[in-house]
Amino acid sequence: MFASGQYNNNNIPSVVPQVGSEEGCVLSLPLPSERVIRPKGGFNKRLQFLPVSLHKRLENVRKFIYGDSLPTQIAVRGHKLMSLAAERQVSSDILEANAKHIAALSCEAFAKDGPSLVVASGRDTISISSSIKELAPEYVFTVQIQHPRSRLNRFDLVITPRHDYYPLTPEGQKQIPWLLRRWITPRTSPERHVILTVGALHQADSNALKDAAYTWHDELATLPRPLLVVNVGGPTGHCRYGTDLALELTDLLLNIVPTCGSIRVSFSRRTPCKVSDIIWEELGNHPKVHIWNGEGPNPHMGHLAFADAFVITADSVSMLSEACSTGKPVYVIGAERCTWKFRDFHQSLKNRGVVRPFLGKEDIFESWSYSPLNDTKEAAAHVITALAERGWGLPS
């Protein structure tokens, strides 16, 4: 995600991207907005490690070879992947923000609006944001969210979770074979222009939750209390699980149902069918439980606004970061299945007292408090300070 254009104290936090989103975006203030969409499906699914720009070149090669007489199925090593119509749809979604265009607009707007703020998030935006900085160094201030892995001096600020530096800790070093240490990043301690957060940045601030409370009032405000919201993600390379966690989760939820007025369950795009199917089978007909079926508006922000407590699977840094910013009780299931920097992230939350393990013995009527995570606002304050140090004032 990018944000470029005029800025002030009030709108800097609003341009912070939803970290973890599957697409990047160029938000313009007041420049036109653009997006960076990573292609999905077909051979693109097997080449997710490649940059978006290379996917475009591969698409051009494919067109050159097949022209208009493309095969009706695309196959790799004998495995049928997707139909021609679907493949054409994928190729039409391969977009990339134009660094030269954004740099040129920033130069033109400098005299009237001052320097442009460029905020980029995710690996697909690294080359673009660094190119903008290289093309217009005197007219832009670049902020890269999530660790770029190399050459951090390409950006004015880097904002990244503290657990990204886990490889430098003694515990992290023990887990890295000696021959691989030179390939693990980051390899140096954070520099002055690297801002460390506890979790992921997100847009679920107080204003967004007020808007969500208004939007979802009719559906959620009248539910029996306390309202327990259960967010289920999906397994990752460092948080592996399957039906075992789904069975454990449903058993524990059935144990604490008597202490709940109502329970709302929702899944992420990463949730495997084998996990969601078990939850539907075990809880779908329970009178106190409502499971979002994926149709209609996503109730996630409404859940954050109205929940009295949360149960969240350990795989999602973003969902945990959002819930832990509400100040409401957050219970985690599956943290013991996480390794590497994800285990470090969970330990940091536990040390701060913002989460507790979900044991199935909780009384949801009982509440507990902690100092909520405030990473987004704190990161925005660092951006404002860095801009002021550059001598770039902020209009009111």
Side-chain angles (χ1 to χ4, degrees), residues 22 38-52 55 90 123-124:
E22 294 186 11
R38 175 160 289 275
K40 306 177 181 69
F43 63 81
N44 294 294
K45 186 175 181 179
R46 298 184 175 224
L47 302 174
Q48 286 294 300
F49 59 91
L50 296 178
V52 177
H55 280 278
V90 167
R123 58 175 176 156
D124 293 334

Side-chain angles (χ1 to χ4, degrees), residues 52-127:
V52 177
S53 57
L54 190 50
H55 280 278
K56 292 174 114 176
R57 295 192 182 101
L58 288 174
E59 173 62 16
N60 291 334
V61 171
R62 184 186 68 78
K63 288 181 178 179
F64 178 80
I65 295 174
Y66 291 109
D68 293 329
S69 57
L70 294 175
T72 57
Q73 299 286 344
I74 303 296
V76 176
R77 293 186 181 178
H79 296 284
K80 189 182 293 184
L81 296 182
M82 68 188 308
S83 67
L84 169 61
E87 184 67 21
R88 281 178 172 166
Q89 180 63 43
V90 167
S91 66
S92 67
D93 286 340
I94 303 177
L95 304 178
E96 187 173 10
N98 190 318
K100 292 182 179 179
H101 179 65
I102 296 175
L105 289 178
S106 298
C107 293
E108 293 174 4
F110 184 80
K112 178 182 178 182
D113 298 323
S116 295
L117 174 65
V118 176
V119 182
S121 176
R123 58 175 176 156
D124 293 334
T125 66
I126 292 172
S127 61

Side-chain angles (χ1 to χ4, degrees), residues 47-228:
L47 302 174
Q48 286 294 300
F49 59 91
L50 296 178
V52 177
S53 57
L54 190 50
H55 280 278
K56 292 174 114 176
R57 295 192 182 101
L58 288 174
E59 173 62 16
N60 291 334
V61 171
R62 184 186 68 78
K63 288 181 178 179
F64 178 80
I65 295 174
Y66 291 109
D68 293 329
S69 57
L70 294 175
T72 57
Q73 299 286 344
I74 303 296
V76 176
R77 293 186 181 178
H79 296 284
K80 189 182 293 184
L81 296 182
M82 68 188 308
S83 67
L84 169 61
E87 184 67 21
R88 281 178 172 166
Q89 180 63 43
V90 167
S91 66
S92 67
D93 286 340
I94 303 177
L95 304 178
E96 187 173 10
N98 190 318
K100 292 182 179 179
H101 179 65
I102 296 175
L105 289 178
S106 298
C107 293
E108 293 174 4
F110 184 80
K112 178 182 178 182
D113 298 323
S116 295
L117 174 65
V118 176
V119 182
S121 176
R123 58 175 176 156
D124 293 334
T125 66
I126 292 172
S127 61
I128 303 170
S129 60
S130 61
S131 294
I132 295 171
K133 180 64 177 178
E134 184 178 5
L135 291 167
E138 301 300 322
Y139 306 104
V140 300
F141 188 92
T142 56
V143 180
Q144 187 68 35
I145 298 175
Q146 294 181 303
H147 204 287
R149 300 305 173 199
S150 65
R151 297 189 293 134
L152 273 61
N153 58 356
R154 291 176 290 172
F155 313 98
D156 293 296
L157 275 185
V158 173
I159 302 175
T160 192
R162 186 177 303 276
H163 57 258
D164 273 349
Y165 281 84
Y166 180 69
L168 300 182
T169 65
E171 296 79 9
Q173 288 290 305
K174 292 177 183 177
Q175 299 180 48
I176 306 174
W178 180 80
L179 291 176
L180 297 180
R181 287 183 183 176
R182 63 174 299 184
W183 305 105
I184 300 296
T185 56
R187 293 191 293 270
T188 59
S189 299
E191 302 171 35
R192 184 177 182 272
H193 73 304
V194 176
I195 307 303
L196 301 182
T197 63
V198 177
L201 303 188
H202 55 82
Q203 297 171 332
D205 60 11
S206 58
N207 290 330
L209 293 183
K210 287 179 182 177
D211 291 341
Y214 176 82
T215 301
W216 290 92
H217 179 273
D218 292 346
E219 181 171 344
L220 301 179
T222 57
L223 291 176
R225 316 300 290 204
L227 169 59
L228 176 66

Side-chain angles (χ1 to χ4, degrees), residues 289-355:
V289 179
H290 176 276
I291 303 176
W292 182 51
N293 61 7
E295 297 180 1
N298 190 328
H300 179 63
M301 291 298 292
H303 286 171
L304 289 173
F306 283 100
D308 294 300
F310 301 91
V311 171
I312 300 177
T313 55
D315 55 271
S316 179
V317 174
S318 294
M319 288 195 300
L320 282 165
S321 299
E322 290 171 333
C324 292
S325 70
T326 66
K328 303 171 183 177
V330 180
Y331 300 98
V332 181
I333 183 168
E336 71 282 356
R337 291 169 167 84
C338 295
T339 61
W340 193 233
K341 66 179 183 179
F342 291 92
R343 176 173 294 177
D344 187 63
F345 168 65
H346 285 287
Q347 187 61 47
S348 70
L349 295 182
K350 184 178 179 180
N351 291 344
R352 294 171 67 97
V354 300
V355 301

Side-chain angles (χ1 to χ4, degrees), residues 4 8 17 23 35 136 174 217 225 240 332 335 366 382:
S4 63
N8 57 45
E23 65 181 58
R35 293 185 180 276
K174 292 177 183 177
H217 179 273
R225 316 300 290 204
R240 297 184 182 276
V332 181
E366 295 181 4
H382 282 290

